[in-house]
């Protein structure tokens, strides 16, 4: 029982710290980095809802991030739309394109799906890079406005933008939590564990895979739109597959399929990247092998590993208490068993 | 007409490079069922090793190529033993993530060792040859010929030697191969060595007409994936056919449609093919 209290207290403490962060941290630079990390985290949460919950590895996730960013950028800069209207349009368009892509791509399976989505992601990148007259090509798109004020709330300062991003991250986490513990989330898990078994009990695997894919694209678009309005400059680099791999790495390190994993992984990796700044682009010399080692020895990531450890310990202590009643150990069931 | 033949020739030489890369990829996939995303990084390191050996040791182009072939073959074997072998019972997702890890590592390593700027490989074969009214650089002709020689050697190895047959047996039926006593470890090491060697040879052949930089493998590996899906995952004739087809299609696309979008041809082609036929053009055929 006290274990549960610990987790809840931890969550409350984390929430209070994040709320008070602009007052604790005086440096604008640190606040800027943290805000960026929270934007990445939103995208990684979206990724998790597809890769982690349903188990289909899409390599086009970063493409939908870019679609969100460029939709907001183009509609505000070139078409002169109202910010929040363009923001909504960015979310709707990411999800809609995600729906169309998912409709076709889920006809393929396994490796084919990964390669198919990789090609889709690369086509998105090439369109942004080559369609000079619309997207500005390699020069990028500049002068994207800050979020427009809502009533008395303005978003001109860094602190206010931090709270805006924090608000959207909180919404994302709530959705991720609701999803994981709902019937839908359990259905996703069933599809993840075994497509054949899921079909056997009457679950439409295609429909659920598509649904999770669209949700994940929606959050990628959300993160992209926030990124565009925060950084105010976007280039084709934000659609590059390398950035997609980086998001995947955040997810794997934090813990794939877990609720806290995306946040833990993203914050940790952004912090590490900042502290290893002298390594610059060669930081992957370090992170690449870490990723490989993690996949081999610790595939559940940090959060998944700790959760498993706790679960085992609790089971052991439970067994000790009821030893007289339960002479034989019950085979422990792995929730996240893979095919 | 001249332009047509000229572009056909250019397309075939580009296609030769694609074919060699795709062959390695398709063999690893056919035998071990691993989509080796790191294959493009092997290709890139192969080019750098050749370049370094040529500039520092002053070795001849072909000697440098052989050196590079051995280095990359060992690198591929190392990645198999250290990464893919421990993961042999893991999920496809884990294979792909591990491959991404290797890819990121090798790309960053190249950046540390050789810098991020574009490099050019000198060649003694940049004279222009005229055949049948077509102008072509010697290097492009060499690519064409060398690729055919390498493929013929590979064919001979797979068809006429005992160990080559074992590789094919393993690709056709894993359990059956185990039953007749084929050693899976030996086959896996050998397949990775061949795939690395092919990548290094392709990179060395292509480098004098392209540029060398840390991300040079990314586009090539993505196209190689497209090729092996078009030709059937694991099919060797399919990879050869697909490689040449893509090379020619790109060359014509650049001439007759748009040079800017020539890299998109492969991906649009793949999206169309998988949309119509989700299992690829030649599903389940392994040769």
């Amino acid at each position: 029982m006290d274990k549960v209290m610990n987790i809840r207290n931890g969550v409350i403490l984390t929430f209070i710290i994040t709320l008070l962060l602009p007052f604790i941290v005086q440096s604008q630079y640190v606040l800027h980095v943290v805000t960026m990390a929270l934007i990445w985290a939103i995208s990684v949460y979206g990724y998790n809802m597809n890769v982690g919950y349903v188990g289909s590895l899409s390599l086009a996730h970063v493409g939908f991030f870019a679609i969100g960013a460029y939709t907001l950028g183009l509609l505000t800069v070139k078409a002169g739309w109202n910010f929040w209207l363009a923001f909504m349009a960015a979310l709707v368009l990411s999800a809609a394109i995600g729906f169309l892509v998912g409709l076709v791509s889920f006809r393929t399976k396994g490796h084919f799906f990964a390669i198919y989505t990789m090609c889709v992601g690369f086509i998105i990148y090439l369109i942004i890079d080559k369609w000079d007259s619309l997207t500005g090509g390699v020069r990028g798109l500049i002068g994207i406005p800050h979020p427009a004020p809502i009533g008395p709330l303005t978003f001109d300062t860094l602190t206010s933008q931090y709270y805006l991003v924090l608000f959207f991250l909180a919404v994302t986490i709530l959705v991720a939590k609701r999803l994981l513990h709902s019937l839908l989330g359990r259905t996703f898990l069933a599809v993840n564990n075994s497509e054949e078994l899921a079909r056997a009990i009457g679950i439409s695997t295609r429909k659920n895979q598509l649904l999770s894919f669209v949700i994940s694209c929606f959050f990628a678009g959300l993160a992209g739109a926030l990124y565009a309005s925060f950084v105010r400059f976007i280039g084709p680099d934000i659609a590059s597959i390398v950035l997609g791999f980086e998001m995947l790495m955040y997810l794997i390190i934090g813990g794939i399929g877990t609720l806290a994993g995306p946040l833990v992984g993203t914050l940790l990796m952004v912090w590490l990247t900042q502290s290893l700044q002298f390594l610059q682009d060669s930081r992957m010399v370090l992170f690449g092998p870490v990723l490989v080692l993690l996949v081999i020895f610790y595939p559940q990531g940090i959060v998944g590993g700790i959760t498993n450890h706790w679960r085992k310990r609790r089971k052991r202590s439970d067994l000790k208490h009821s030893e007289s009643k339960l002479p034989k150990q019950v085979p422990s069931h792995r929730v996240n068993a893979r095919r | 007409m001249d332009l047509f033949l000229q572009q056909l020739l250019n397309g075939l030489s580009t296609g030769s490079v694609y074919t060699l890369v795709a062959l390695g990829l398709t063999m690893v996939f056919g035998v071990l069922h691993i989509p080796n995303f790191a294959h493009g990084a092997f290709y890139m390191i192969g080019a750098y090793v050749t370049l370094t050996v040529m500039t520092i040791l002053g070795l001849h182009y072909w000697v440098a190529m052989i050196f590079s072939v051995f280095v990359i073959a060992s690198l591929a074997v190392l990645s198999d033993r250290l990464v893919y072998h421990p993961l042999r019972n893991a999920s496809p997702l884990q294979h792909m993530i591990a491959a991404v890890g290797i890819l990121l590592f090798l790309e960053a390593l190249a950046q540390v060792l050789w810098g991020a700027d574009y490099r050019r490989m000198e060649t003694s074969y940049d004279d222009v040859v005229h055949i049948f009214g077509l102008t072509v650089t010697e290097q492009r002709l060499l690519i064409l010929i060398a690729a055919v020689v390498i493929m013929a050697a590979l064919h001979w190895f797979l068809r006429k030697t005992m160990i080559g047959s074992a590789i094919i047996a393993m690709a056709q039926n894993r359990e059956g191969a185990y039953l007749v006593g084929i050693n899976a470890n030996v086959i896996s090491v050998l397949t990775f060595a061949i795939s690395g060697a092919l990548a290094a040879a392709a990179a060395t052949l292509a480098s004098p007409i392209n540029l060398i930089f840390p991300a040079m493998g990314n586009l090539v590996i993505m196209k190689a994936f497209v090729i092996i899906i078009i030709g059937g995952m694991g099919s060797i004739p399919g990879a050869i056919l697909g490689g040449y087809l893509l090379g020619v299609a790109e060359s014509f696309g650049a001439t007759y449609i748009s040079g800017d979008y020539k890299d998109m041809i492969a991906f649009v082609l793949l999206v169309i093919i998988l949309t119509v036929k989700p299992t690829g053009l030649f599903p389940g055929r392994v040769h």
Side-chain angles (χ1 to χ4, degrees):
Chain A
M1 194 58 206
D2 54 344
K3 292 263 157 53
V4 179
M5 288 303 286
N6 277 346
I7 289 175
R8 187 193 285 167
N9 286 345
V11 170
I12 293 171
L13 190 69
T14 317
F15 193 63
I16 291 173
I17 290 175
T18 50
L19 269 185
L20 296 179
L21 195 75
F23 304 103
I24 303 169
V25 177
Q26 292 303 318
S27 150
Q28 293 278 298
Y29 175 71
V30 172
L31 199 59
H32 185 94
V33 170
V34 172
T35 312
M36 281 301 297
L38 297 188
I39 293 174
W40 295 134
I42 293 175
S43 175
V44 177
Y45 267 104
Y47 213 169
N48 194 25
M49 288 179 212
N50 184 34
V51 189
Y53 292 9
V54 175
S56 40
L57 177 62
S58 154
L59 295 178
H61 190 72
V62 71
F64 292 97
F65 179 84
I67 287 177
Y70 267 92
T71 310
L72 180 84
L74 289 173
L75 286 180
T76 50
V77 173
K78 295 218 166 169
W81 282 32
N82 171 283
F83 179 87
W84 291 106
L85 206 61
F87 193 81
M88 292 295 174
L91 303 190
V92 171
L93 196 69
S94 313
I97 296 179
F99 176 74
L100 291 179
V101 169
L103 210 55
V104 180
S105 60
F106 277 109
R107 286 157 54 90
T108 61
K109 295 213 178 333
H111 300 318
F112 281 86
F113 179 77
I115 295 166
Y116 187 97
T117 48
M118 179 185 77
C119 290
V120 170
F122 199 70
I123 289 175
I124 294 173
Y125 169 78
L126 278 180
I127 290 175
I128 292 173
D129 191 50
K130 304 285 185 198
W131 196 349
D132 231 32
S133 54
L134 181 72
T135 61
V138 280
R139 279 171 289 117
L141 200 63
I142 46 171
I144 299 161
H146 280 316
I150 311 175
L153 297 172
T154 56
F155 300 102
D156 297 329
T157 61
L158 183 60
T159 314
S160 59
Q161 281 162 20
Y162 168 81
Y163 281 120
L164 183 71
V165 171
L166 189 65
F167 166 75
F168 279 114
L169 178 65
V171 172
T172 310
I173 295 178
L174 276 181
V175 171
K177 185 170 185 296
R178 290 290 302 172
L179 204 59
L180 195 63
H181 297 305
S182 67
L183 182 64
L184 188 63
R186 285 167 189 279
T187 314
F188 285 170
L189 208 64
V191 176
N192 190 1
N193 284 346
S194 162
E195 272 187 49
E196 287 79 12
L197 280 181
R199 262 204 301 275
I201 57 169
I203 295 172
S204 162
T205 49
R206 179 92 69 82
K207 204 179 93 189
N208 284 290
Q209 284 168 330
L210 182 60
L211 187 60
S212 95
F213 186 71
V214 172
I215 296 173
S216 108
C217 290
F218 177 85
F219 284 106
L222 171 65
L226 286 173
Y227 176 89
S229 70
F230 182 65
V231 178
R232 307 185 66 193
F233 162 80
I234 46 177
D237 277 358
I238 60 166
S240 76
I241 194 161
V242 178
L243 184 61
F245 286 157
E246 205 146 321
M247 289 180 193
L248 183 62
M249 188 170 74
Y250 294 170
L251 179 57
I252 302 298
I253 287 175
I256 190 163
T258 60
L259 191 58
L263 189 62
V264 172
T266 309
L267 288 180
L268 178 73
M269 290 312 285
V270 170
W271 175 71
L272 272 179
T273 308
Q274 286 298 320
S275 5
L276 299 174
Q277 198 130 65
F278 60 94
L279 286 174
Q280 288 182 350
D281 286 340
S282 54
R283 65 184 191 282
M284 285 298 172
V285 174
L286 217 68
F287 293 164
V290 167
L291 189 60
V292 171
L293 288 175
L294 216 59
V295 163
I296 296 176
F297 296 109
Y298 217 65
Q300 318 96 323
I302 296 171
V303 174
I306 292 174
T307 321
N308 270 3
H309 183 71
W310 273 357
R311 201 174 283 149
K312 258 184 218 156
R313 261 188 36 189
R314 198 186 302 167
K315 195 164 272 174
R316 215 176 293 148
S317 65
D318 281 359
L319 274 173
K320 224 174 268 171
H321 288 310
S322 53
E323 219 153 43
S324 51
K325 287 180 201 162
L326 269 171
K328 261 190 282 180
Q329 188 175 350
V330 188
S332 63
H333 174 66
R334 274 187 66 197
V335 181
N336 231 348
R338 300 198 185 276
R339 272 172 295 154
Chain B
M1 193 59 196
D2 262 5
L3 182 70
F4 178 84
L5 287 177
Q6 187 74 50
Q7 290 309 322
L8 184 68
L9 200 66
N10 283 345
L12 285 177
S13 67
T14 317
S16 308
V17 176
Y18 291 161
T19 300
L20 290 179
V21 179
L23 272 176
L25 198 62
T26 208
M27 279 185 70
V28 167
F29 189 84
V31 176
L32 302 159
H33 302 278
I34 295 169
N36 190 4
F37 284 100
H39 196 67
F42 295 160
Y43 173 86
M44 176 266 302
I45 301 273
Y48 272 113
V49 169
T50 310
L51 182 72
T52 312
V53 172
M54 277 173 75
T55 48
I56 292 182
L57 299 181
L59 289 178
H60 189 260
Y61 180 67
W62 297 107
V63 184
M65 182 197 241
I66 290 168
F67 188 88
S68 171
V69 160
F70 276 103
V71 171
I72 303 305
S74 329
L75 185 67
V77 169
L78 208 64
S79 78
D80 170 45
R81 288 294 98 184
L82 292 182
V83 179
Y84 294 120
H85 185 68
L87 281 173
R88 62 197 175 285
N89 295 323
S91 70
L93 188 65
Q94 280 167 287
H95 283 148
M96 284 188 264
I97 293 164
V100 168
I102 301 176
L103 167 78
L104 293 175
F105 168 70
L106 289 178
E107 231 178 86
L109 188 72
Q111 207 156 346
V112 170
L113 291 179
W114 292 291
D117 34 314
Y118 292 67
R119 308 272 286 269
R120 180 168 277 289
M121 187 187 283
E122 295 302 323
T123 168
S124 43
Y125 304 104
D126 45 8
D127 291 338
V128 174
V129 192
H130 298 273
I131 353 165
F132 310 124
L134 301 174
T135 49
V136 63
T137 58
E138 280 181 346
Q139 183 66 35
R140 278 194 181 270
L141 272 185
L142 273 181
I143 294 177
L144 275 172
I145 297 164
V148 171
V149 170
I150 291 171
M151 279 181 247
L154 184 68
H155 181 81
W156 174 83
F157 175 74
L158 289 178
R159 290 288 159 191
K160 303 290 178 196
T161 64
M162 202 58 196
I163 195 120
S165 311
I167 291 182
I168 292 186
M170 183 93 165
Q172 284 170 342
N173 189 333
R174 246 183 223 240
E175 282 73 25
Y178 292 147
L179 278 178
V180 296
I182 289 171
N183 185 338
N185 281 336
V186 173
I187 298 301
S188 143
V189 163
L190 207 65
T191 311
F192 264 96
I194 292 174
S195 101
L198 287 171
T204 307
L205 284 172
S207 295
I209 55 169
N210 293 322
L211 290 169
I212 304 176
F213 54 99
M216 68 187 272
N218 289 352
L219 201 55
V220 176
I221 182 70
M222 283 201 254
K223 286 178 184 168
F225 267 119
V226 173
I227 290 165
I228 69 170
I229 283 186
I230 293 174
M233 304 274 260
S235 157
I236 288 173
I240 296 174
L241 193 69
Y244 282 120
L245 268 180
L246 184 62
V248 172
E250 275 189 359
S251 174
F252 284 144
T255 322
Y256 295 111
I257 303 173
S258 152
D260 270 357
Y261 288 95
K262 89 170 171 29
D263 287 333
M264 212 189 273
I265 292 172
F267 306 104
V268 173
L269 203 65
L270 180 97
V271 167
I272 293 171
I273 287 175
L274 281 187
T275 306
V276 179
K277 229 170 161 291
T279 43
L281 277 188
F282 307 103
R285 267 179 47 193
V286 176
H287 299 278

